[in-house]
Amino acid sequence: MSMCMRRLITNTRGFLWSDIETRALLDIWGEADVQLALDGNFRNSHVYRDVAGRLGELGFERTPEQCRIRIKGLKRQYYQAREGVRNNGQARKICRYYDEMDRILRSRAAPASSGGLHDPPEVRLHPQDPPCTEGCTGELREEEDEEIEDEEEQTGSVEPDSPQDNLTEDSGEGLSCYTEQPIKVEDGPSFAIPVPPNNGYKNVHTKINQPPVSPLKKSKKLHCSTNLDKMMERFLQQSVDAEEKFYKYEEQRLQIEDKRREEEHTREIQMLQMLGQMLNGLSSASQITAASQVTPPNKSNHRSYTNSLHLNTTSFSPPIVVERSFSLWPTRPAKDMENIFQLVRNVIPPLTSKKHKGQDGKIGIVGGCKEYTGAPYFAAITALKVGADLSQVFCTKEAAAVIKSYSPELIVHPVLDHSNAVSEVDKWLPRLHTVVVGPGLGREDAILDNAKGIIEKAKAKGLPIVIDADGLWLIAKQPSIIQGYQRAVLTPNFMEFSRLYEAMLSEPVDTSDQHGSVLRLSQAMGNITIVQKGERDLISDGDKVLVCSHEGSNRRCGGQGDLLAGSLGVLVHWAFLAGPEKIIGQNPFLVAAFGACSLTRQCNHQAFQKYGRSMTTGDMISEVGTAFNKLFET
Ligand SMILES: NC(=O)C1=CN([C@@H]2O[C@H](COP(=O)(O)OP(=O)(O)OC[C@H]3O[C@@H](n4cnc5c(N)ncnc54)[C@H](OP(=O)(O)O)[C@@H]3O)[C@@H](O)[C@H]2O)[C@@H](O)CC1
Ligand SMILES: Nc1ncnc2c1ncn2[C@@H]1O[C@H](COP(=O)(O)OP(=O)(O)OP(=O)(O)O)[C@@H](O)[C@H]1O
């Protein structure tokens, strides 16, 4: 039991209201001046002081608070009873003083009312309000009075109802829901009360300069204010809740966003790792060896396009290998690029509607004899498939018809075994961009002599020359034919390289130093670009060595070198034509050779994926288009 409750019981015990005492109270409370004073006034303790005083004059000693509480209890019983009357007519069982209360309260609620007990007066909050049809009766007025009293309790000026309010008259005391409230009896502040003259009240402080306040208005105002406070409180609480929810959701959203970013980052790292692995392959495929610049036999003939861009140079042997990784990104400016793939891309001529037939390459293949018809065909057709516009084969008479039969796309000149072969071919040289000498050439002296004459003619015209296969046999016999002509590229396989090396350097190839060997041979040949084909293709111009180990396959069918030679014929033309800016001053023959080696390997790889051991060079040639696109045009 709370302290307040104990105080309440102590203060009210022994002060039960007798019937006569209650009727005396009702008589006083029902007097017009009392009702008028109570009506609509927020503070009514002074009224009950007067009521208690009048009761005292009748011989009943009651405190003002006891009077107020007793009245309040009676009112509650009355309203309950009235509700009961409506329901089942049991009013007087609930409220013993029902008739007295009814008379007083009805006259107080609505003097103009014409209704009786079962027809309570209608109350409108505003004049313009429509008549209420339900739940809007005189009870509202009474409840407003109750609220005023309750308001006083909240201000602490009047103590709440006594426990006996909830009991019948005779039951005396008991606990109600109000007993939890502290009992505090003290006067509240004075308020203006519209009291008529000679009202008989004692101790009433009147402030005449204050305007009279409409009770209904005040009650409504109070009601509204309370509701407004509650609404405001609810609104603030909802705002806080909403804000909390917002931050909670925002936090969740940020967490999700962080997670997404993290996943994206992880994916990027994975992609980069994959790319790194790819580039490692390319890097190992693309080492650049810088070596000392040893004066080649005919250094005076050294090309100008490499003079401006030498890498670190060291002593001639052993060469220093500088590993470089090459980016595959096509967006970097050529100036900054070390990516040789990108350099290859840079030299590829655009396909435009303004060009005429031949501008993208006219390649001459000098080769093809009775025994070897496939080799010149492979080279010539590959040149076309890489992007040359015209591909012409200069072969022996016997080979010509066969080569023609392979493909109507090739122009075949059966001139190589003619006595005037050189002049026949020379007529065509001005219409060619590159000459590829060697595939299927054979080793007949007469043919080799003609080949030698054609090389001389091509040199005289400054044409780029690719020498492969039997052309290299010829060169191995007579290196001076091509030595120092830096627009030539030699593409020896291991055997051909060995022959050349021995011919030029008078010693066997040092197989433990492949980079040095190719470098030395190039230098010995007057910085002619050498492509030593093999497991890794080593490319050197005597200044540096490029290593191409782009993935191919282990399938070694004949004709792959021919494919390489044909594609190189086209790329050499493009690289040479592109000019030094496109290849940032690099040797165009190195760039072209790297492109051709990569392409050959890529064709090999793709064809092998499809055909495995049965893969032939023809299958590789079928892959030229897609391989080229993959490497250089994506
Ligand atoms: N379908 C056609 O028409 C084709 C025609 N072709 C044309 O044939 C002509 C002759 O060219 P080629 O390749 O037979 O002569 P060459 O290079 O001297 O080899 C001779 C011997 O050297 C060896 N050997 C080779 N490589 C080696 C290595 N890496 N490592 C070690 N040894 C190696 C090997 O000796 P083996 O193992 O047989 O003893 C090989 O047999 C030429 O004009 C060419 O264009 C070809 O293009 C093919 C498709
Ligand atoms: N051991 C190898 N591993 C991987 N690829 C190789 C290997 N040998 C050669 N190749 C590839 O084959 C290409 C041609 O080299 P190959 O030695 O077959 O030339 P070739 O003998 O002149 O050919 P051809 O049969 O046309 O005369 C090389 O550029 C390289 O891409």
Side-chain angles (χ1 to χ4, degrees):
M1 188 180 290
S2 73
M3 181 69 113
C4 297
M5 196 182 290
R6 272 199 295 274
R7 276 184 64 195
L8 185 69
I9 291 170
T10 307
N11 288 354
T12 56
R13 191 165 300 201
F15 291 92
L16 301 178
W17 289 75
S18 65
D19 179 60
I20 190 166
E21 197 179 12
T22 302
R23 288 186 189 282
L25 174 68
L26 282 176
D27 286 343
I28 296 165
W29 180 67
E31 283 176 21
D33 58 344
V34 173
Q35 285 299 307
L36 188 64
L38 286 171
D39 193 3
N41 283 293
F42 187 67
R43 303 286 177 186
N44 54 20
S45 55
H46 55 284
V47 181
Y48 279 105
R49 269 202 296 276
D50 192 63
V51 170
R54 294 192 203 184
L55 200 60
E57 287 170 7
L58 296 174
F60 302 107
E61 287 300 320
R62 290 290 174 179
T63 66
E65 289 69 41
Q66 283 174 327
C67 294
R68 193 191 67 78
I69 289 165
R70 179 62 175 152
I71 290 297
K72 192 171 180 179
L74 290 169
K75 278 166 71 182
R76 186 172 294 113
Q77 287 168 8
Y78 165 76
Y79 291 129
Q80 284 173 353
R82 197 166 74 176
E83 196 61 34
V85 167
R86 282 186 193 155
N87 296 334
N88 53 25
Q90 299 297 308
R92 282 157 200 85
K93 283 188 182 175
I94 299 169
C95 181
R96 186 173 172 179
Y97 307 101
Y98 183 89
D99 292 337
E100 291 82 350
M101 293 290 291
D102 189 56
R103 178 182 50 78
I104 298 165
L105 289 173
R106 280 192 177 280
S107 63
R108 171 182 165 188
S113 170
S114 59
L117 179 65
H118 299 284
D119 187 16
E122 182 176 291
V123 176
R124 296 184 193 181
L125 295 177
H126 299 286
Q128 67 271 28
D129 285 349
C132 294
T133 53
E134 196 177 324
C136 186
T137 67
E139 290 170 22
L140 175 64
R141 175 64 182 271
E142 295 298 337
E143 283 161 11
E144 284 172 4
D145 287 346
E146 286 287 325
E147 280 177 20
I148 291 168
E149 290 176 359
D150 287 345
E151 189 67 26
E152 285 187 326
E153 286 164 15
Q154 286 173 20
T155 63
S157 59
V158 178
E159 69 173 310
D161 279 349
S162 138
Q164 67 191 111
D165 286 344
N166 278 354
L167 304 174
T168 62
E169 269 68 16
D170 300 320
S171 62
E173 62 188 273
L175 297 177
S176 77
C177 58
Y178 298 94
T179 56
E180 287 294 323
Q181 298 294 330
I183 295 174
K184 189 178 176 190
V185 182
E186 59 181 25
D187 290 343
S190 300
F191 280 83
I193 303 170
V195 184
N198 305 317
N199 57 21
Y201 283 113
K202 303 168 193 170
N203 305 321
V204 172
H205 306 284
T206 304
K207 291 185 180 174
I208 32 181
N209 57 345
Q210 288 195 2
V213 181
S214 158
L216 183 58
K217 226 177 186 176
K218 186 159 183 174
S219 172
K220 274 166 59 187
K221 197 172 161 188
L222 182 66
H223 192 68
C224 289
S225 157
T226 309
N227 282 344
L228 202 64
D229 286 347
K230 282 179 184 167
M231 276 172 64
M232 186 59 83
E233 200 177 342
R234 269 205 303 274
F235 170 75
L236 288 173
Q237 188 56 46
Q238 281 171 357
S239 299
V240 169
D241 289 347
E243 202 174 1
E244 270 174 13
K245 265 185 193 165
F246 169 78
Y247 284 120
K248 204 168 148 192
Y249 290 147
E250 188 64 8
E251 200 177 316
Q252 284 173 355
R253 191 186 67 74
L254 288 172
Q255 278 172 357
I256 290 167
E257 180 73 6
D258 281 351
K259 203 173 162 195
R260 190 187 63 75
R261 283 206 186 121
E262 211 168 298
E263 284 170 356
E264 210 168 59
H265 184 62
T266 309
R267 265 203 305 278
E268 273 174 12
I269 286 175
Q270 284 170 349
M271 290 288 289
L272 285 171
Q273 282 171 345
M274 282 168 62
L275 192 64
Q277 284 168 1
M278 265 173 66
L279 289 173
N280 276 344
L282 289 173
S283 178
S284 64
S286 315
Q287 299 163 9
I288 292 181
T289 302
S292 65
Q293 199 175 348
V294 175
T295 306
N298 54 349
K299 185 66 187 171
S300 58
N301 198 25
H302 196 70
R303 59 197 167 279
S304 57
Y305 47 72
T306 53
N307 286 345
S308 59
L309 207 121
H310 291 300
L311 297 179
N312 295 337
T313 56
T314 60
S315 61
F316 178 72
S317 180
I320 290 178
V321 176
V322 180
E323 294 278 349
R324 290 194 176 186
S325 58
F326 296 99
S327 165
L328 285 173
W329 306 120
T331 50
R332 295 175 62 187
K335 210 174 174 185
D336 300 329
M337 280 187 304
E338 295 179 86
N339 180 349
I340 201 146
F341 270 103
Q342 186 59 46
L343 297 185
V344 178
R345 290 189 187 110
N346 287 353
V347 304
I348 296 168
L351 292 168
T352 75
S353 60
K354 304 295 175 201
K355 288 180 179 172
H356 61 78
K357 179 182 63 184
Q359 275 186 282
D360 276 347
K362 291 179 282 189
I363 312 301
I365 310 295
V366 179
C369 61
K370 185 181 172 185
E371 293 87 3
Y372 310 121
T373 55
Y377 163 77
F378 291 148
I381 197 74
T382 299
L384 281 179
K385 286 187 176 289
V386 166
D389 291 336
L390 292 167
S391 192
Q392 309 204 28
V393 178
F394 301 90
C395 60
T396 64
K397 191 178 176 186
E398 276 183 292
V402 179
I403 295 169
K404 275 178 183 285
S405 73
Y406 296 151
S407 171
E409 288 147 357
L410 304 177
I411 300 166
V412 182
H413 302 272
V415 296
L416 212 52
D417 48 353
H418 284 191
S419 56
N420 61 346
V422 175
S423 60
E424 285 291 322
V425 175
D426 189 35
K427 283 193 284 187
W428 289 95
L429 288 180
R431 302 192 211 170
L432 298 176
H433 293 119
T434 308
V435 179
V436 179
V437 180
L441 184 66
R443 292 174 189 173
E444 280 188 27
D445 287 344
I447 305 283
L448 291 176
D449 275 349
N450 287 340
K452 177 185 171 184
I454 294 167
I455 290 171
E456 297 289 354
K457 293 291 183 186
K459 275 173 59 179
K461 292 181 171 58
L463 287 176
I465 303 171
V466 175
I467 301 182
D468 183 40
D470 293 325
L472 294 171
W473 173 269
L474 172 66
I475 298 300
K477 300 288 180 198
Q478 301 175 57
S480 61
I481 296 172
I482 202 72
Q483 194 175 36
Y485 183 68
Q486 292 172 352
R487 293 183 183 180
V489 184
L490 310 185
T491 57
N493 61 25
F494 178 77
M495 286 300 291
E496 292 156 350
F497 184 84
S498 299
R499 281 195 289 265
L500 280 171
Y501 192 90
E502 285 174 24
M504 293 303 298
L505 295 156
S506 306
E507 60 181 11
V509 177
D510 179 2
T511 52
S512 66
D513 180 20
Q514 291 183 326
H515 290 79
S517 296
V518 71
L519 192 77
R520 282 189 289 274
L521 179 61
S522 173
Q523 290 170 346
M525 292 296 293
N527 289 91
I528 291 175
T529 298
I530 307 281
V531 179
Q532 187 189 353
K533 299 175 290 189
E535 188 176 352
R536 300 190 307 160
D537 296 323
L538 305 180
I539 307 162
S540 179
D541 63 352
D543 272 345
K544 34 193 162 309
V545 177
L546 299 186
V547 180
C548 180
S549 55
H550 189 76
E551 188 180 9
S553 83
N554 293 332
R555 173 76 170 120
R556 297 276 70 79
C557 55
Q560 294 181 40
D562 301 321
L563 189 157
L564 190 153
S567 62
L568 182 55
V570 184
L571 286 166
V572 156
H573 164 56
W574 288 348
F576 194 63
L577 196 71
E581 284 178 8
K582 287 274 177 71
I583 50 176
I584 55 171
Q586 293 283 354
N587 183 343
F589 296 92
L590 281 181
V591 173
F594 188 89
C597 291
S598 306
L599 180 65
T600 304
R601 287 166 172 272
Q602 182 66 28
C603 291
N604 185 306
H605 178 72
Q606 289 181 197
F608 188 77
Q609 297 297 307
K610 290 182 181 173
Y611 306 106
R613 194 179 285 274
S614 76
M615 180 196 87
T616 62
T617 299
D619 298 325
M620 286 173 60
I621 288 170
S622 299
E623 298 296 322
V624 167
T626 52
F628 188 91
N629 282 342
K630 182 165 184 167
L631 290 180
F632 308 125
E633 292 194 311
T634 53

